Amino acid sequence: MSEEQVRAHHDMPRDRTSVASTSVSEQRQEYEQMLTSFPVPADVNIVDGELGGVAVVEIDIRTSAGDERSSDVLLFLHGGGYVLGSGRAYARFAAEVARVSDTRVISVDYRRAPEDPHPAALEDALAVYQALLESGLAPKRIAVVGDSAGGGLALATLIAAKRHGLPMPASAAVFSPWTDLALSGESLRTKADVDLTFGDSVDTLLANLARAYTSTQDATDPLISPVYADLSGLPPLLIQVGSHEVLLDDATRLASRAAAADVPVTLDVTAKAGHIFQLSPCLRETREALTRTGHFLRRQFGG
């Protein structure tokens, strides 16, 4: 990744807003504007719906008349620190993952903090997963995908599903997952100078977001911070992360614990890339990373 590309990627504000600095509604509006600054391709179909009593956004790529619709589904959980973001705002990115994996997407509009702290988001994600299974969709036709906080939520959903005795999906792919809301990763300090995504007050920002989601609960609860969980029995995992991000250790420690639990895991680190660099469609690294994501997902689906 060139220096110019690094600067262009970091110019995207993403999660820089402090929960304490402006109203939550203003933060959400700014974040939505950032996410929708790139147009959704004309062949992407977006429909608001409900599944398992939870609001969802169904996203798929329009096909030619007579072409069969994909039977494989991505259960997509958006990022935004559990406070920002929405299923519709993430439609372009979710559609790109659907395109490379030849799937359709169910993007969950889970309840957000601080109005609804943990376990609200997890309950919503699990309810949608259960509803997909109850609809007759085979678990091996489902993959769970998420970025940042959505990546942590994707893993928590798998852990909760295992506890409830539900069958595992085919796989999970997470981008820059936030897996430790106790903020104990060493990269929070060692990468602070090179990861500009969160601004200069990364410790304060992440602490505010973590506090909003956890409320009075223990941040090391495995359903809040999956890096502390027993990961045995989880499906194959793809973990993508940039080497220039403060959450690098959240990804590498997750991969190490998954491997120790005999979970098939692929850790995919892109040099000099920042937090959720895949959101920047102009980067060569984004295209390459999403291509690898597509290969992984299709391989786990058996295609």
Side-chain angles (χ1 to χ4, degrees):
M1 184 176 285
S2 70
E3 292 301 318
E4 182 179 354
Q5 289 173 321
V6 169
R7 287 194 299 273
H9 170 68
H10 286 312
D11 281 344
M12 299 181 69
R14 276 178 297 276
D15 297 333
R16 292 182 186 176
T17 309
S18 169
V19 170
S21 64
T22 58
S23 72
V24 171
S25 61
E26 289 174 326
Q27 296 167 42
R28 288 172 178 164
Q29 184 177 4
E30 291 174 4
Y31 195 63
E32 298 268 324
Q33 289 173 345
M34 181 279 295
L35 289 169
T36 56
S37 60
F38 295 102
V40 176
D43 64 344
V44 175
N45 188 52
I46 306 172
V47 178
D48 294 316
E50 184 179 288
L51 197 58
V54 178
V56 299
V57 180
E58 299 182 27
I59 305 164
D60 61 15
I61 311 299
R62 295 189 184 95
T63 58
S64 302
D67 289 351
E68 291 187 8
R69 191 184 190 196
S70 174
S71 60
D72 298 326
V73 173
L74 303 182
L75 176 59
F76 185 87
L77 300 165
H78 67 79
Y82 295 105
V83 172
L84 314 176
S86 68
R88 181 167 280 272
Y90 265 85
R92 181 198 60 80
F93 179 59
E96 290 310 307
V97 183
R99 192 184 302 279
V100 296
S101 57
D102 189 26
T103 59
R104 54 193 178 92
V105 175
I106 301 295
S107 185
V108 184
D109 263 326
Y110 56 82
R111 286 169 289 169
R112 297 171 297 185
E115 301 95 329
D116 294 293
H118 176 80
L122 178 58
E123 290 172 346
D124 289 350
L126 186 61
V128 174
Y129 181 60
Q130 288 180 293
L132 285 173
L133 296 175
E134 291 168 1
S135 74
L137 188 64
K140 294 305 180 182
R141 300 265 67 88
I142 305 171
V144 182
V145 178
D147 73 293
S148 194
L153 182 57
L155 294 159
T157 301
L158 297 178
I159 296 162
K162 182 179 71 169
R163 291 185 179 183
H164 283 77
L166 297 175
M168 288 292 100
S171 66
V174 292
F175 307 97
S176 302
W178 192 16
T179 65
D180 182 9
L181 275 68
L183 305 178
S184 67
E186 185 64 23
S187 58
L188 287 169
R189 290 162 287 281
T190 61
K191 296 294 183 178
D193 291 340
V194 292
D195 187 350
L196 307 178
T197 305
F198 297 97
D200 296 331
S201 304
V202 59
D203 291 342
T204 300
L205 171 59
L206 290 178
N208 284 340
L209 291 170
R211 190 178 304 111
Y213 183 60
T214 60
S215 186
T216 60
Q217 300 165 89
D218 183 359
T220 63
D221 183 327
L223 293 178
I224 292 175
S225 299
V227 75
Y228 300 103
D230 172 11
L231 302 176
S232 61
L234 265 58
L237 301 179
L238 170 66
I239 305 166
Q240 287 192 345
V241 67
S243 69
H244 276 194
E245 46 176 313
V246 292
L247 295 185
L248 176 61
D249 282 359
D250 282 43
T252 58
R253 287 186 296 154
L254 175 73
S256 177
R257 288 185 60 83
D262 296 323
V263 175
V265 58
T266 301
L267 177 63
D268 182 349
V269 182
T270 295
K272 297 184 178 180
H275 188 59
I276 340 173
F277 66 93
Q278 298 89 341
L279 288 179
S280 302
C282 57
L283 297 180
R284 171 177 55 82
E285 286 80 1
T286 291
R287 296 190 295 272
E288 293 173 348
L290 289 181
T291 296
R292 294 192 296 273
T293 300
H295 289 164
F296 170 83
L297 292 169
R298 291 198 304 272
R299 185 167 62 249
Q300 304 308 322
F301 282 134

